[in-house]
Amino acid sequence: MANDGVGLYIHVPFCVKKCSYCSFNSVCIPEDTSGMCTALSTELIQRIDEQEMKFQTFYAGGGTPTLLPPEFWMRLIGMVQNPNLREVTIETNPAVLDAIDYSSLRLAGFNRISVGVQSFNDSNLQLLGRRHTSQEAMDTLNLIRKTGFKNISMDLMYGLPGQSLEDQKSDILNTLTFMPQHISAYELTLEAGTPMGDKGEKASEDQCVDMYNQLHDMLTEKGYIHYEVSSYALGDKYRSLHNSSYWNRTPYVGIGPSAHSFKNKKRSWNLSSIPEYESAVLNGVTPEESAEELTAENAAHEVLALGFRNVNGVDLSLIEEFGFQLDPSDIVSTGLVTRKGNLLIPDEKGMLFADHLALVAADLLKGV
Ligand code: SF4
């Protein structure tokens, strides 16, 4: 049976240098990346062979996937090319400005690019351990636009220690001089085991709420749609199709060390150790480390957790499909959610308190 609309994620675990807040599975790039290139393409061939997959999205993330050569990406995209493939994204980092041939990446088949800018303030970039300046970020964005990319996403971060509302405003104004088609704006998360996480400093909760509101007001005023707690698009057609598939619980296949996959209620993930991953794939052994079957209760909780984070909301009929009922009036009475037919739609504040709403709603679930 063919699987239409499946998302494909390729994890490249290499960066020029580790950022001070980052807990993703990535290491400094080794001199020779050929082992990883072979392992990624081999795993992809194995996974395509499992059954006929018609991918709708291709997302090269990491890490810094632009560190691998365009020819490698052209080969991988060629393997999954089909008429359903609509969004083909690669993440990049302004720190690699001189080393990357963006025209070749476009020719390889990418039609969307996501640039990790994080801030236009050089002191904050240093604090985050980023390897680029604000000027390099601007130069990267301009170069990418010149090469003909028409769908550019930018990552921004807020809630940094010592960051004022004025600092954040200046980051947003700089972003707006460029008007990318998509903006992902994340509050800093302090991850244990990272230099910033271990230091434990960030803006206060109240300051983070003020920054979230400032971001919302400034971006929506310029025509951006706030469609997920951290995501803004310059019109519906620029919503991230790939990320939406995670939020809509459609199947996805993850290739690479620590990559996750989801299909038929089964969630599985690969080995995170880079040498163990490479060795497993190259020796013809599955790199899958473990898997779990979601129970109906897990699935209903997931629908709540994901639904309150985005403007599509929680679909009550889906909750019923999993064998549960939820009295909408109990959630609507929080004042953060409106009911539209079978949907519970969070407002801007509701999306910010999505975790709280999901916990309240999970407690109110009744078996049918
Ligand atoms: S560039 Fe991205 S993936 Fe790499 S260390 Fe920095 S935040 Fe992590």
Side-chain angles (χ1 to χ4, degrees):
M1 188 185 73
N3 283 288
D4 297 342
V6 180
L8 174 63
Y9 174 75
I10 315 275
H11 186 77
V12 176
F14 302 138
C15 290
V16 270
K17 175 191 164 259
K18 197 78 186 159
C19 302
S20 308
Y21 57 92
C22 176
S23 65
F24 295 141
N25 183 17
S26 67
V27 297
C28 290
I29 186 162
E31 258 178 45
D32 182 6
T33 56
S34 60
M36 180 55 68
C37 289
T38 311
L40 292 173
S41 42
T42 308
E43 191 195 356
L44 181 56
I45 292 167
Q46 288 164 355
R47 300 290 289 276
I48 294 172
D49 280 354
E50 277 169 23
Q51 52 185 297
E52 196 187 336
M53 296 276 187
K54 285 211 178 124
F55 295 108
Q56 179 177 224
T57 61
F58 179 112
Y59 194 102
T64 307
T66 44
L67 291 172
L68 297 186
E71 310 78 61
F72 163 76
W73 290 115
M74 184 177 269
R75 207 168 57 246
L76 247 61
I77 295 168
M79 285 182 201
V80 299
Q81 206 45 270
N82 78 84
N84 289 11
L85 190 59
R86 286 170 56 197
E87 190 185 271
V88 188
T89 306
I90 190 163
E91 291 179 347
T92 195
N93 181 328
V96 292
L97 174 62
D98 296 333
I100 307 300
D101 178 355
Y102 287 107
S103 306
S104 298
L105 285 168
R106 237 177 73 70
L107 288 175
F110 289 105
N111 58 19
R112 183 171 185 272
I113 191 158
S114 170
V115 189
V117 171
Q118 316 309 350
S119 172
F120 287 100
N121 176 313
D122 284 334
S123 316
N124 282 338
L125 288 170
Q126 265 185 16
L127 180 77
L128 292 168
R130 304 287 295 179
R131 267 281 290 272
H132 57 88
T133 60
S134 153
Q135 186 58 50
E136 281 166 334
M138 274 294 180
D139 291 347
T140 301
L141 290 164
N142 286 324
L143 176 68
I144 287 172
R145 183 162 277 170
K146 252 195 235 156
T147 59
F149 275 98
K150 296 203 166 41
N151 191 350
I152 301 173
S153 181
M154 243 182 73
D155 283 356
L156 274 185
M157 204 175 264
Y158 64 91
L160 314 187
Q163 187 183 28
S164 65
L165 260 185
E166 274 306 305
D167 292 338
Q168 191 220 13
K169 186 175 183 182
S170 151
D171 273 351
I172 303 168
L173 288 172
N174 273 310
T175 301
L176 290 172
T177 60
F178 191 76
M179 292 298 278
Q181 282 69 30
H182 189 273
I183 298 167
S184 297
Y186 302 101
E187 179 183 325
L188 171 70
T189 309
L190 295 175
E191 302 281 359
T194 64
M196 286 187 82
D198 292 345
K199 214 167 171 198
E201 290 173 3
K202 66 175 280 189
S204 71
E205 216 170 289
D206 285 350
Q207 285 170 319
C208 288
V209 171
D210 288 346
M211 290 186 200
Y212 173 87
N213 289 332
Q214 173 162 261
L215 189 74
H216 171 91
D217 293 347
M218 288 178 71
L219 295 186
T220 51
E221 192 182 306
K222 291 288 175 190
Y224 284 90
I225 300 167
H226 188 185
Y227 70 101
E228 192 263 351
V229 61
S230 312
S231 310
Y232 293 82
L234 204 49
D236 277 332
K237 73 172 179 172
Y238 293 118
R239 290 187 188 206
S240 163
L241 203 56
H242 186 79
N243 288 344
S244 300
S245 71
Y246 296 141
W247 306 325
N248 299 335
R249 304 183 73 254
T250 51
Y252 52 85
V253 173
I255 304 288
S258 71
H260 282 55
S261 301
F262 174 62
K263 202 176 122 214
N264 297 340
K265 296 188 203 155
K266 181 183 151 190
R267 203 174 290 289
S268 59
W269 52 95
N270 280 352
L271 292 160
S272 54
S273 146
I274 296 168
E276 283 177 27
Y277 166 80
E278 282 187 15
S279 150
V281 177
L282 300 177
N283 287 303
V285 179
T286 170
E288 184 176 299
E289 181 179 63
S290 199
E292 65 186 9
E293 188 93 12
L294 290 188
T295 62
E297 193 177 8
N298 295 149
H301 286 177
E302 211 173 74
V303 169
L304 295 171
L306 296 170
F308 287 127
R309 290 175 62 91
N310 78 70
V311 290
N312 293 339
V314 169
D315 187 342
L316 292 170
S317 51
L318 210 51
I319 298 278
E320 269 179 40
E321 270 178 39
F322 292 119
F324 293 94
Q325 263 182 352
L326 180 64
D327 183 348
S329 54
D330 291 330
I331 299 296
V332 172
S333 66
T334 60
L336 301 172
V337 170
T338 6
R339 182 178 184 180
K340 282 191 191 144
N342 259 338
L343 298 176
L344 293 178
I345 314 268
D347 61 15
E348 174 217 341
K349 195 168 171 203
M351 284 197 277
L352 183 61
F353 292 103
D355 293 346
H356 168 72
L357 284 171
L359 281 177
V360 172
D363 273 347
L364 294 167
L365 285 181
K366 292 194 178 77
V368 283

